[in-house]
Amino acid sequence: MRYLLVDRILEYRSGEHIRGIKNVAMSEDFLEFHFPGNPIMPGVLLIEALAQLAGWLEAVSSDFSRWFLITAVKKCNFYGFVLPGDRVELEVAAKQEEGSPLMRCSGICSVEGRKKVKVDFEGELVPLSS
């Protein structure tokens, strides 16, 4: 199954940062089993949403010639649950060292100004064309 976890991009600065939104609907199939009777968006999918947002940042920064693929989570803190009906504000700041095939990112998920996840991660920059 494929999840597209960024509903809207609000702003970006090429090669530096990007902000977006994920609206969590009760109809999301991952909520059925996580957890029955008490649906909570899985933390790993919040990290994936930030990784996808980093992908969009790299795509727009490279004139859609590259994409970001997450390879490692360096540090992650969870501060609360994300529930159906929440509007998750996603923010990613990126740093790439000259000549490095890796991009390092820091990301934050928040709901109504309250931080839910903070994560430092890195990944490879891969070409979009073969």
Side-chain angles (χ1 to χ4, degrees):
M1 177 156 295
R2 183 174 181 173
Y3 292 110
L4 302 176
L5 299 172
V6 177
D7 293 329
R8 178 179 294 163
I9 294 173
L10 300 175
E11 70 173 280
Y12 70 92
R13 185 174 306 139
S14 184
E16 294 181 26
H17 83 272
I18 189 166
R19 289 186 334 109
I21 296 293
K22 166 65 180 152
N23 295 302
V24 182
M26 188 58 207
S27 61
E28 310 266 12
D29 63 348
F30 53 78
L31 293 175
E32 182 178 354
F33 300 106
H34 196 269
F35 295 96
N38 187 26
I40 298 168
M41 184 166 180
V44 70
L45 290 182
L46 292 168
I47 296 169
E48 174 62 19
L50 292 167
Q52 289 180 16
L53 195 61
W56 284 111
L57 177 60
E58 182 56 29
V60 74
S61 299
S62 69
D63 199 26
F64 291 88
S65 67
R66 290 187 308 265
W67 189 260
F68 172 86
L69 292 179
I70 190 170
T71 57
V73 173
K74 297 300 190 175
K75 182 178 180 181
C76 184
N77 294 11
F78 294 95
Y79 300 96
F81 298 120
V82 173
L83 307 173
D86 283 347
R87 179 179 187 246
V88 185
E89 300 146 20
L90 310 165
E91 296 182 45
V92 171
K95 293 181 187 173
Q96 183 185 8
E97 295 179 20
E98 189 77 26
S100 173
L102 295 178
M103 185 166 77
R104 297 180 190 271
C105 300
S106 60
I108 296 176
C109 295
S110 56
V111 175
E112 295 180 2
R114 292 186 308 270
K115 184 170 34 177
K116 301 295 181 173
V117 178
K118 182 177 181 191
V119 61
D120 294 327
F121 57 100
E122 67 184 20
E124 296 178 11
L125 303 178
V126 298
L128 283 172
S129 61
S130 49

